Amino acid sequence: MSERQKDRPWLMRTYAGHSTAEASNALYRRNLAKGQTGLSVAFDLPTQTGYDADHVLARGEVGRVGVPIAHLGDMRKLFQDIPLERTNTSMTINATAMWLLALYQVVAEEQGADISRLQGTTQNDIVKEYLSRGTHVFPPGPSLRLTTDMIAYTVSHLPKWNPINICSYHLQEAGATPVQEIAYAMSTAIAVLDAVRDSGQVPRERMGDVVGRISFFVNAGVRFVEEMCKMRAFGRIWDDVTRERYGIENPKHRRFRYGVQVNSLGLTEAQPENNVQRIVLEMLGVTLSKDARARAVQLPAWNEALGLPRPWDQQWSLRIQQVLAYESDLLEYDDIFEGSKVIETKVEELVADALGEMRRIEEMGGVLAAVESGYLKSQLVAAHAERRARIESGEEKIVGVNAFETTEPNPLTADLDTAIQTVDPAVEERVVAALREWRETRWQPPFNHPRCSSALERLKEAARGTDNLMEATLECARCGVTTGEWAGALREVFGEFRAPTGVSSAPVAVTAAEGSALARVRRAVELTARDLGVGKLRFLVGKPGLDGHSNGAEQIAVRARDAGFEVVYQGIRLTPEQIVDAALAEDVHAVGLSVLSGSHARLVPDVLQRLRVAGATEIPVIAGGIIPSSDAEALRAAGVAAVFTPKDFDITGIIGRIVAEIRYANQLDPLEVPA
């Protein structure tokens, strides 16, 4: 087959952004020069959750997991010398998606771009934030309104933009089975399309344009056949739903359009070189099948379980895509799985089971009702607990973790401190100083402070009424309003929302059968409670800062509950002050802190210091998360009793260690519980 007859490759992206807008801009330009064909912007947690860098909750989080964007000046720097009219940009942003799109549009206008030609995607799927990622801000109703208004605006003004990227990626990371991933994502799409249709902002005859701009962002795991069948099932259900529920006749509008990030959850800290073949296998699941091929692919780096990847690590992942697309003959053939009985049987099974779960959600009143009731979250927590139990028992094997653990020294990680990229703690101080300077000088032309105040008042007025919020948001962007001010104005009107944790209602995943590891830990918990003269040991699980990745914290909380602890878990996004206040009020015997965003170096010592000031030195503090070895040593030196990272997959063993630390902190003799 001649070269010109080949299919076009998918968009190749690297999820990137860190430190500052200037540093991220330099990274983007380097990546584009290496052959990357689209940008994928990672924003830091304050930006994602609507806080400025000097907010108390932003401490330790600025520039950690993405780039901080506080105002129009930051967005200008982020895309300096990158022509937005000719760039396809994906922005992983949800609660504040409208705000970031407004900043992006204004920068494009300043570049002289025709905004009707802007191409890209805003993730903008708030439902999965309540369930897995945790960067939600507003309650479900107002959040859906923001999404609806943004979709209606883009259909008229940015017709090539994908205003929502319904994202099942994080659902799989939170434990979703393929059936749950399909069902929950499709139920979210139905809620969004129903809201747009019923808002009256888009004429019925233009609903095809709305459906045609809905895209999806999925997760591809290592179970290649199942994952590839999942994508075919997604496409089949989407085609049926859009035709039957919304009357979309044009097959181009009904096409299932998706991008993919292959599974970071499956990457291991142990023997991290194995992550390369995992990434390749996961990528094949979404590229080999022409009839269900991803439109855009971004791959994590081999060392993502260790910390922030370096530019070289991201280049390696980009080259993996390029070798497949340009060296292999993959793009020269029609669908190579067409007619396979094995594939068709599995697809039919997934379709039937997903439709059944979608009907169950519909009977509850739709996906928002299922979120608010806690049903969806408890199902995910339970599914994740079952998976962890299979790993701990050895039923589900992970090479290098619970199977084939013997290894030669790894030259890639011989010096762990240089195997990942670190963010200079001084970056936060510089970002905060620049933010304050922006606030002080924005009264100068073309901005002025009174104009900012009136723009925010207009935004609040629109939020109290029924006007589309995009125009008021654009005015805020143009006059120099900050991210925290925009979100703060909407918080005043909409309020905030704390999503259900799913912990209390999650069923037992590991039974405490006689002679089992959990039975021994339960006995240790009982004996320690007796020795301390209390009815039950109390354990606080805390999520300090803005990190919303709560899967690990939830699994620890559920297993501690099953081991006989009384567990205090208030969910995500707490300050060190709030965590210590809760520990003292609940008279807990241990505190566990889960941090995956890299802010552990600042937030964990803060909790330790506050406990010391309160005189609660007998409460051991345990830390868990993606914590480099040098940081782990520093935390232990600061007084942390134990540090656990992703390589520590034995949750029951972790709970046993926590009991041991409680005994040590209270000067009790070590406990030997017979097997």
Side-chain angles (χ1 to χ4, degrees):
M1 180 176 285
S2 66
E3 183 72 23
R4 80 187 76 176
Q5 292 176 289
K6 280 187 175 182
D7 287 343
R8 281 192 308 168
W10 49 90
L11 272 173
M12 298 181 190
R13 292 186 168 124
T14 302
Y15 182 56
H18 64 82
S19 303
T20 64
E22 294 93 333
S24 298
N25 171 264
L27 176 62
Y28 296 162
R29 287 189 283 112
R30 286 202 305 272
N31 286 346
L32 290 169
K34 293 172 183 173
Q36 187 173 298
T37 53
L39 294 177
S40 181
V41 181
F43 296 98
D44 74 351
L45 289 174
T47 305
Q48 292 186 51
T49 51
Y51 293 108
D52 286 335
D54 57 353
H55 191 278
V56 62
L57 273 168
R59 288 176 302 183
E61 305 282 16
V62 177
R64 286 281 175 185
V65 300
V67 57
I69 299 296
H71 46 70
L72 183 59
D74 286 340
M75 194 63 105
R76 286 179 187 139
K77 293 173 185 175
L78 186 65
F79 292 108
Q80 185 174 340
D81 300 323
I82 298 175
L84 298 187
E85 192 174 303
R86 302 197 303 273
T87 303
N88 192 304
T89 304
S90 171
M91 295 192 281
T92 301
I93 196 77
N94 296 283
T96 55
M98 179 180 284
W99 174 242
L100 272 298
L101 180 62
L103 292 174
Y104 187 87
Q105 177 182 321
V106 174
V107 169
E109 289 170 347
E110 291 180 346
Q111 290 184 357
D114 176 355
I115 66 166
S116 68
R117 298 178 63 181
L118 294 180
Q119 295 186 71
T121 302
T122 30
Q123 193 169 98
N124 202 19
D125 175 2
I126 202 64
V127 172
K128 69 98 171 52
E129 297 300 319
Y130 300 129
L131 300 176
S132 53
R133 181 61 186 82
T135 67
H136 55 274
V137 176
F138 312 112
S143 294
L144 187 58
R145 177 187 169 186
L146 283 165
T147 301
T148 301
D149 284 359
M150 195 167 143
I151 291 172
Y153 175 84
T154 56
V155 166
S156 298
H157 297 87
L158 280 68
K160 294 186 176 183
W161 192 267
N162 300 323
I164 186 169
N165 201 218
I166 292 167
C167 179
S168 66
Y169 173 86
H170 297 98
L171 299 181
Q172 187 181 111
E173 286 207 326
T177 65
V179 167
Q180 290 171 329
E181 191 178 342
I182 296 168
Y184 298 174
M186 284 294 159
S187 296
T188 298
I190 288 170
V192 169
L193 287 174
D194 281 359
V196 174
R197 178 194 62 196
D198 299 342
S199 73
Q201 295 190 68
V202 178
R204 292 296 176 103
E205 62 272 15
R206 294 208 64 189
M207 278 300 291
D209 294 329
V210 173
V211 171
R213 299 318 305 178
I214 302 292
S215 62
F216 291 77
F217 188 68
V218 304
N219 202 329
V222 76
R223 291 171 57 81
F224 165 76
V225 174
E226 188 172 61
E227 292 296 288
M228 192 261 292
C229 291
K230 178 185 77 179
M231 301 321 307
R232 297 171 87 91
F234 253 129
R236 194 169 299 180
I237 293 175
W238 182 243
D239 186 75
D240 289 345
V241 166
T242 53
R243 184 180 61 251
E244 295 172 9
R245 190 179 185 104
Y246 303 105
I248 308 302
E249 297 297 333
N250 187 336
K252 289 184 178 180
H253 287 157
R254 299 200 309 269
R255 184 179 300 147
F256 182 72
R257 301 159 61 250
Y258 78 97
V260 65
Q261 161 97 6
V262 308
N263 193 359
S264 297
L265 173 70
L267 303 186
T268 63
E269 181 183 5
Q271 298 181 26
E273 66 275 11
N274 295 334
N275 294 333
V276 176
Q277 50 263 36
R278 291 186 179 107
I279 289 167
V280 171
L281 188 58
E282 291 165 351
M283 176 183 63
L284 293 177
V286 294
T287 54
L288 284 187
S289 175
K290 181 178 179 179
D291 290 349
R293 183 172 293 150
R295 297 282 290 272
V297 177
Q298 57 192 47
L299 305 182
W302 68 277
N303 57 349
E304 206 132 320
L306 305 176
L308 187 66
R310 300 158 300 186
W312 183 86
D313 308 312
Q314 294 183 326
Q315 174 183 297
W316 191 357
S317 290
L318 175 62
R319 296 294 186 246
I320 290 172
Q321 295 198 59
Q322 290 169 330
V323 168
L324 179 64
Y326 299 115
E327 293 188 26
S328 85
D329 59 353
L330 171 68
L331 299 177
E332 297 175 11
Y333 296 94
D334 289 333
D335 197 286
I336 60 177
F337 297 100
E338 185 178 355
S340 166
K341 291 181 180 179
V342 172
I343 299 299
E344 185 58 29
T345 299
K346 182 63 178 176
V347 171
E348 289 176 353
E349 174 191 314
L350 290 171
V351 167
D353 291 347
L355 288 174
E357 182 65 5
M358 288 168 66
R359 283 191 292 271
R360 188 173 295 111
I361 292 168
E362 186 99 29
E363 289 165 1
M364 293 179 183
V367 73
L368 294 187
V371 165
E372 292 174 314
S373 71
Y375 168 76
L376 294 185
K377 184 63 175 178
S378 65
Q379 292 295 107
L380 291 175
V381 171
H384 197 45
E386 290 167 7
R387 176 182 177 271
R388 293 299 304 239
R390 291 195 301 272
I391 294 171
E392 289 178 52
S393 70
E395 177 187 348
E396 185 171 322
K397 288 182 168 49
I398 300 178
V399 174
V401 175
N402 65 356
F404 313 110
E405 298 162 65
T406 304
T407 181
E408 296 296 325
N410 184 345
L412 291 172
T413 58
D415 183 356
L416 272 176
D417 290 337
T418 61
I420 56 173
Q421 181 160 314
T422 57
V423 176
D424 183 352
V427 163
E428 183 167 322
E429 296 176 18
R430 294 199 296 270
V431 171
V432 169
L435 169 68
R436 289 173 175 164
E437 182 182 1
W438 174 271
R439 289 203 198 105
E440 291 168 4
T441 59
R442 65 184 171 189
W443 57 268
Q444 298 171 352
F447 310 126
N448 61 72
H449 190 70
R451 185 181 169 200
C452 288
S453 299
S454 63
L456 287 168
E457 286 304 317
R458 181 187 168 195
L459 176 67
K460 287 189 278 189
E461 183 181 348
R464 294 187 191 100
T466 59
D467 289 352
N468 188 299
L469 293 169
M470 192 67 192
E471 289 293 350
T473 294
L474 283 163
E475 175 63 15
C476 287
R478 292 184 178 112
C479 79
V481 163
T482 68
T483 297
E485 290 168 340
W486 178 86
L490 292 182
R491 280 183 168 98
E492 286 184 36
V493 180
F494 295 151
E496 292 193 71
F497 184 72
R498 294 194 69 80
T501 67
V503 168
S504 60
S505 55
V508 174
V510 178
T511 59
E514 188 70 29
S516 68
L518 186 59
R520 292 193 294 276
V521 172
R522 281 186 68 95
R523 181 62 178 153
V525 170
E526 292 167 2
L527 292 173
T528 302
R530 184 200 65 187
D531 291 347
L532 289 173
V534 297
K536 267 193 167 188
L537 292 184
R538 290 179 296 281
F539 177 43
L540 184 146
V541 178
K543 288 285 296 175
L546 295 175
D547 171 34
H549 283 109
S550 58
N551 305 329
E554 290 154 3
Q555 295 307 309
I556 292 291
V558 168
R559 192 67 57 84
R561 177 204 67 186
D562 295 345
F565 275 93
E566 179 182 324
V567 176
V568 179
Y569 177 55
Q570 299 171 326
I572 62 172
R573 217 178 298 168
L574 299 170
T575 64
E577 296 94 316
Q578 290 170 321
I579 289 172
V580 171
D581 287 347
L584 298 174
E586 299 288 345
D587 195 20
V588 301
H589 299 97
V591 171
L593 303 176
S594 171
V595 185
L596 281 82
S597 64
S599 59
H600 50 267
R602 180 165 183 181
L603 298 179
V604 175
D606 194 347
V607 172
L608 280 170
Q609 179 60 23
R610 291 175 187 280
L611 285 171
R612 289 192 188 107
V613 170
T617 54
E618 79 288 355
I619 301 177
V621 173
I622 291 90
I626 298 177
I627 301 174
S629 57
S630 59
D631 286 0
E633 291 173 12
L635 290 178
R636 283 189 284 264
V640 170
V643 177
F644 298 102
T645 65
K647 71 177 183 299
D648 302 301
F649 68 93
D650 179 6
I651 299 181
T652 299
I654 291 173
I655 303 303
R657 174 72 182 278
I658 292 169
V659 178
E661 294 298 341
I662 291 172
R663 296 188 68 84
Y664 179 80
N666 287 274
Q667 301 180 335
L668 299 175
D669 292 334
L671 199 60
E672 290 292 334
V673 179

